[in-house]
Amino acid sequence: MSQDLSQKNKPYLTKVKKMRINKYLAHAGVASRRKAEELILAGKVTVNNVPMTNLGYQVSTGDIVEVNGVAVYNEEPVYYLLNKPRGYISSVSDDKGRQTVMDLMPQVKERIYPVGRLDWDTSGLLLLTNDGEFTNMMTHPRHGVDKVYVAKVEGQANKENLRPLTLGMTIEGKKVSPARYEIIKQEKTKNHSIVSLTIHEGQNHQVKKMFAAAGLPVQKLSRIQYGSLTLDGLPTGQFRRLSKKEVSQLINAAQGN
């Protein structure tokens, strides 16, 4: 997710050990390293008010780095896990005045943002950070970090109607990878089922669209696991900071280690 540079105040003096400029911009959440290089070559990045075109430049403490005239500040990276309730937007702000996940985390001083998103009516595990490179690693389709959802769906889930989910599907012209499922419960009298689904992508409304394509409209949805992370011991609406070990485990999973 790209950083909203318009929210920055300037100037920001960099406080960081020497770091290659594309990596610096990625860590600050501006863009991926490759996109950051494109910004640099396009002349949109300045260091100390001087246009920067040297991709090998090492940003150091005291530098003022700007993109399109807006200062970029590379904070110490932080990583949080939030148990998101339903009824909150997975965004830093909302132009319609709706509550966002940031309203649940007023104590956090760093300028964090959600890693991917959960729909307004979807609850569960949401990561937030100020590390753009980490965000790109967690959300890019080529990185296969498992995400586990539990859905209450209309209808009776069974092997036959869930089989297409395990083969890979095309949804609105986009191919999604094969998923894994487990039927947790079937309520025949109420005509609904509880199913867990494991995916490693994150297209918009992907889980809901997959179930809908199987003829099982989602009535309620929650994400309960992200890589090795779970919500164990974390009440709804609460958050905690990830440990270095947990962050390393997520990165290793994204890198296929």
Side-chain angles (χ1 to χ4, degrees):
M1 176 179 294
S2 297
Q3 189 179 38
D4 183 0
L5 297 177
S6 66
Q7 301 300 317
K8 301 290 183 187
N9 295 316
K10 57 185 249 187
Y12 275 121
L13 292 176
T14 296
K15 296 180 181 178
V16 66
K17 294 180 180 179
K18 283 193 173 183
M19 181 184 297
R20 191 180 174 96
I21 190 164
N22 64 336
K23 183 177 181 181
Y24 176 89
L25 293 174
H27 272 282
V30 174
S32 66
R33 291 195 196 189
R34 183 176 62 82
K35 290 294 184 181
E37 289 182 351
E38 294 177 5
L39 290 172
I40 295 165
L41 294 176
K44 296 182 179 181
V45 179
T46 63
V47 179
N48 303 324
N49 296 317
V50 178
M52 176 54 58
T53 57
N54 177 12
L55 297 178
Y57 182 80
Q58 298 286 320
V59 179
S60 58
T61 297
D63 282 340
I64 299 176
V65 181
E66 295 178 306
V67 177
N68 292 324
V70 182
V72 178
Y73 182 61
N74 198 335
E75 299 173 310
E76 184 71 21
V78 292
Y79 312 87
Y80 290 94
L81 184 160
L82 169 70
N83 189 347
K84 175 190 171 300
R86 300 176 73 188
Y88 286 81
I89 303 294
S90 295
S91 177
V92 173
S93 60
D94 182 67
D95 57 7
K96 297 180 180 178
R98 294 170 295 183
Q99 289 182 305
T100 76
V101 292
M102 305 312 301
D103 293 318
L104 299 167
M105 308 175 70
Q107 307 94 320
V108 177
K109 302 305 179 184
E110 296 89 0
R111 292 160 299 152
I112 60 174
Y113 50 84
V115 176
R117 66 190 299 272
L118 291 178
D119 293 339
W120 176 86
D121 59 350
T122 299
S123 62
L125 199 158
L126 182 68
L127 299 178
L128 299 100
T129 186
N130 57 358
D131 185 340
E133 190 168 12
F134 173 83
T135 298
N136 184 62
M137 189 176 296
M138 291 299 109
T139 57
H140 197 285
R142 73 171 179 268
H143 299 299
V145 181
D146 281 351
K147 305 169 186 69
V148 183
Y149 295 79
V150 171
K152 177 183 176 183
V153 299
E154 180 182 337
Q156 296 302 299
N158 54 54
K159 291 183 179 180
E160 183 177 349
N161 55 26
L162 290 174
R163 186 170 181 269
L165 280 64
T166 69
L167 301 177
M169 310 173 72
T170 299
I171 299 176
E172 297 180 353
K174 293 183 179 180
K175 181 74 173 180
V176 297
S177 298
R180 303 191 304 273
Y181 73 84
E182 178 184 353
I183 299 174
I184 298 173
K185 189 176 182 180
Q186 291 179 316
E187 289 281 358
K188 293 184 178 181
T189 57
K190 297 180 180 179
N191 195 34
H192 70 243
S193 307
I194 307 297
V195 184
S196 73
L197 190 71
T198 302
I199 64 172
H200 59 260
E201 297 164 305
Q203 295 184 21
N204 198 25
H205 309 302
Q206 179 176 338
V207 173
K208 292 178 180 178
K209 291 176 181 177
M210 291 176 74
F211 277 116
L216 301 165
V218 170
Q219 297 177 333
K220 195 173 183 180
L221 184 65
S222 180
R223 183 160 65 193
I224 64 168
Q225 188 169 341
Y226 198 115
S228 57
L229 296 175
T230 70
L231 293 169
D232 290 352
L234 189 65
T236 300
Q238 298 299 305
F239 66 93
R240 67 174 179 84
R241 192 161 174 170
L242 297 185
S243 67
K244 290 183 179 180
K245 180 179 179 180
E246 289 173 324
V247 174
S248 295
Q249 288 173 335
L250 288 172
I251 292 173
N252 288 337
Q255 294 175 339
N257 298 329

